[in-house]
Amino acid sequence: MLQLKNIVKDYGQDDQKVHALQGVELAFRDSEFVSILGPSGCGKTTLLNIIGGLDAYTSGDLVINGRSTKEYKASDWDTYRNHSIGFVFQSYNLIPHQTVLSNVELALTLSGVSKADRRRRATEALEKVGLGDQLKKKPNQMSGGQMQRVAIARALVNDPDILLADEPTGALDTETSVQIMELLKEIAKDRLIIMVTHNPDLAERYSTRIVRLLDGRIVDDSAPFAGSEVEKALPKAREKAEAERKKGKKSMSFFTALALSFNNLMTKRARTILTSFAGSIGIIGIALILAVSTGVNAYIASVQRDTLSSYPISIRKEETDLSSFLGGGDSTETGDNAALGPHENDAVYSNPMLFRMFNTLFAPDRKENNLTAFKAFLDREMNPETAKTALSQYVSAIQYSYAMPMNVYVRNRDGQYVTCDLSKAFSSAAGQVGGNDALSNMMSANLTALNLWQEI
Ligand code: ADP
Ligand code: MG
């Protein structure tokens, strides 16, 4: 027994909300033929989907055999859809590449019935709808009426309590429609059929109850099922539900699923081959990209290592810590960095950055290296016989340079000897021109780079 209690269904969000159902109060007997009539868009399909568990309601309650679906788990819904409900659609929804028999059998595969049993029951269902001699045909070799019969057979093969039909005759001519309605009427003798239709004549002729829907509300019910009648039917329904629950649910066995998938692959061989081909291209592509990227990364890492290892380390006799004026220097001495750290309220701190920079430049914090001892150390370590450490392993070359001026003199046109060192030549030239010592010093300092002589 099925009860809808103030069912509301809204589609969409906030401002674009569609109120498909606005409080539907309805109950169905265990066996009757209910037609739902109403203009397009009034919520008929929505109502059918909610009854069939294909769609969730927004509020209200759907009570199945006395049990509220609010406490239904996903598995409960599955059992309900698989065992209690049969669907018939306007567009048949048959699988085109499978035979009529397989199409009907498929509905049983999901319920865990053995193969021989499946075949027998599918054949029976097809015989019931008058298609006993067309088992091997494919759906596209059949007429609309025949396809709808197959769909009805498929809905019936599970022996459901409820058959839901959404405009089953919508795409059929009058004569075929009548045949289908006759068939449905026959079926409705021992189960509940809820049929949505556009055709009031057919509804009136064949169904036992007509419910009219308008804008998501029930406006008319020709044979309401409510009050004491419902109360009387409830205990029996609960008993039935309990018995069914005890039986436990059946599901498709693993091997059936495997065989079904294999069968599906084999029926569409070309597609399967193409898909596998495309799939392998994808997998190979990804593998290739991964391989190349890993290789390039490794190469970049090795190049970086090599470059850094060949980078020279130069050690001079005198070293100035240039970073001292770039990095801020010693803050305790001048207190200038206090501005960056915690400081007292309303206090003003100086940050004599320029002063510090010049200070470091002109009175640099020099450090002396003892190069004589260091050279002795290197000489010892680079000689495999005297080495005490593995230093030579990390060193590819050592170059020493000495601050020795090259005093080379040449004779000029006037027969005088002048130094060949460009920097000195320029400084003496500058001295002659302006007698400006500072200028000549600066020039000579700049020109040392142009020295003709270089150690190698
Ligand atoms: P009927 O079957 O009576 O023609 P439906 O139940 O299909 O009507 O639709 C009822 C209303 O709900 C319509 O206004 C429709 O636009 C709306 N509707 C149906 N399905 C959806 C959906 N998935 N999303 C948004 N609106 C929907
Ligand atoms: Mg519809």
Side-chain angles (χ1 to χ4, degrees):
M1 197 179 66
L2 212 58
Q3 287 167 285
L4 279 75
K5 292 189 172 167
N6 200 20
I7 289 276
V8 172
K9 175 70 186 178
D10 296 329
Y11 284 113
Q13 301 286 324
D14 308 327
D15 48 339
Q16 289 162 1
K17 231 177 200 170
V18 179
H19 304 289
L21 294 178
Q22 315 188 26
V24 172
E25 193 80 36
L26 202 58
F28 298 99
R29 295 174 186 89
D30 277 344
S31 78
E32 59 178 342
F33 190 167
V34 186
S35 285
I36 296 176
L37 280 174
S40 187
C42 70
K44 303 186 296 292
T45 302
T46 310
L47 182 64
L48 223 52
N49 286 345
I50 286 176
I51 292 174
L54 295 185
D55 210 345
Y57 43 83
T58 310
S59 71
D61 195 4
L62 172 67
V63 182
I64 300 167
N65 286 334
R67 186 173 167 217
S68 165
T69 49
K70 278 182 185 157
E71 52 191 75
Y72 263 40
K73 293 190 286 284
S75 60
D76 290 324
W77 280 116
D78 280 345
T79 314
Y80 172 63
R81 277 188 295 254
N82 279 343
H83 299 277
S84 304
I85 296 284
F87 268 103
V88 177
F89 303 92
Q90 179 183 339
S91 50
Y92 324 127
N93 290 358
L94 300 176
I95 301 168
H97 65 264
Q98 301 244 8
T99 64
V100 164
L101 187 62
S102 312
N103 261 291
V104 177
E105 265 185 49
L106 201 66
L108 279 176
T109 355
L110 296 173
S111 326
V113 182
S114 77
K115 196 165 169 43
D117 227 12
R118 280 207 302 266
R119 182 130 306 183
R120 185 181 53 78
R121 278 170 66 175
T123 316
E124 272 174 21
L126 281 164
E127 275 165 1
K128 205 167 172 181
V129 298
L131 290 176
D133 51 346
Q134 321 241 352
L135 302 181
K136 295 284 166 223
K137 273 195 178 175
K138 295 257 171 86
N140 57 10
Q141 299 162 331
M142 304 184 104
S143 70
Q146 284 174 321
M147 283 199 270
Q148 195 58 293
R149 280 160 194 266
V150 176
I152 291 173
R154 182 185 55 187
L156 285 181
V157 75
N158 256 333
D159 196 21
D161 300 330
I162 304 162
L163 188 82
L164 303 175
D166 195 354
E167 304 192 26
T169 58
L172 302 176
D173 57 76
T174 323
E175 200 184 328
T176 328
S177 298
V178 168
Q179 290 171 2
I180 294 290
M181 293 305 285
E182 292 281 358
L183 183 62
L184 288 177
K185 191 179 163 191
E186 181 69 26
I187 294 164
K189 278 183 186 156
D190 55 356
R191 71 191 83 222
L192 169 64
I193 294 194
I194 304 172
M195 178 185 75
V196 164
T197 182
H198 265 318
N199 193 329
D201 296 338
L202 284 182
E204 258 152 49
R205 242 166 77 198
Y206 290 97
S207 49
T208 56
R209 178 180 173 191
I210 294 177
V211 175
R212 285 176 204 275
L213 213 58
L214 191 66
D215 293 337
R217 283 197 182 86
I218 290 172
V219 288
D220 185 37
D221 191 346
S222 71
F225 178 54
S228 60
E229 209 185 339
V230 176
E231 294 300 322
K232 238 167 51 192
L234 256 179
K236 212 175 132 206
R238 286 214 175 97
E239 245 170 58
K240 198 173 138 201
E242 198 52 42
E244 254 168 35
R245 202 158 2 147
K246 277 200 186 119
K247 247 188 338 192
K249 36 181 190 294
K250 286 179 178 168
S251 58
M252 199 194 307
S253 75
F254 178 70
F255 285 107
T256 315
L258 212 62
L260 207 66
S261 320
F262 188 70
N263 184 21
N264 192 26
L265 286 182
M266 281 302 124
T267 42
K268 287 167 265 175
R269 214 163 293 158
R271 202 190 66 177
T272 308
I273 292 170
L274 272 178
T275 315
S276 334
F277 183 63
S280 11
I281 289 182
I283 292 168
I284 292 170
I286 289 173
L288 217 61
I289 289 171
L290 277 179
V292 168
S293 79
T294 317
V296 168
N297 272 344
Y299 176 71
I300 290 175
S302 84
V303 166
Q304 273 177 340
R305 225 179 16 249
D306 289 355
T307 339
L308 280 182
S309 67
S310 65
Y311 208 75
I313 300 170
S314 63
I315 298 163
R316 296 157 195 273
K317 187 160 197 289
E318 281 179 345
E319 287 293 348
T320 309
D321 185 11
L322 287 177
S323 64
S324 63
F325 72 85
L326 290 173
D330 196 345
S331 59
T332 48
E333 201 181 331
T334 49
D336 46 41
N337 256 14
L340 301 172
H343 65 279
E344 273 173 42
N345 276 348
D346 304 329
V348 177
Y349 296 94
S350 71
N351 188 6
M353 214 150 68
L354 266 181
F355 165 74
R356 208 154 26 81
M357 268 167 73
F358 281 112
N359 211 19
T360 332
L361 266 181
F362 293 113
D365 179 17
R366 289 234 170 111
K367 288 193 180 72
E368 291 266 336
N369 285 322
N370 186 352
L371 288 185
T372 320
F374 187 57
K375 179 158 188 303
F377 167 76
L378 286 181
D379 283 345
R380 191 189 71 221
E381 291 306 323
M382 293 311 284
N383 185 349
E385 280 165 22
T386 53
K388 288 178 188 152
T389 64
L391 180 71
S392 60
Q393 187 182 326
Y394 302 107
V395 177
S396 49
I398 294 179
Q399 187 186 2
Y400 300 107
S401 52
Y402 300 90
M404 289 286 288
M406 290 293 287
N407 292 321
V408 178
Y409 290 87
V410 288
R411 200 160 30 163
N412 68 6
R413 255 184 270 163
D414 308 334
Q416 288 173 321
Y417 287 101
V418 291
T419 172
C420 203
D421 192 332
L422 257 185
S423 61
K424 286 211 179 106
F426 268 102
S427 71
S428 63
Q432 277 165 16
V433 173
N436 188 337
D437 253 10
L439 182 70
S440 68
N441 273 348
M442 216 156 90
M443 276 178 75
S444 68
N446 282 334
L447 285 165
T448 33
L450 287 173
N451 220 330
L452 278 180
W453 309 96
Q454 201 180 19
E455 283 175 13
I456 50 167

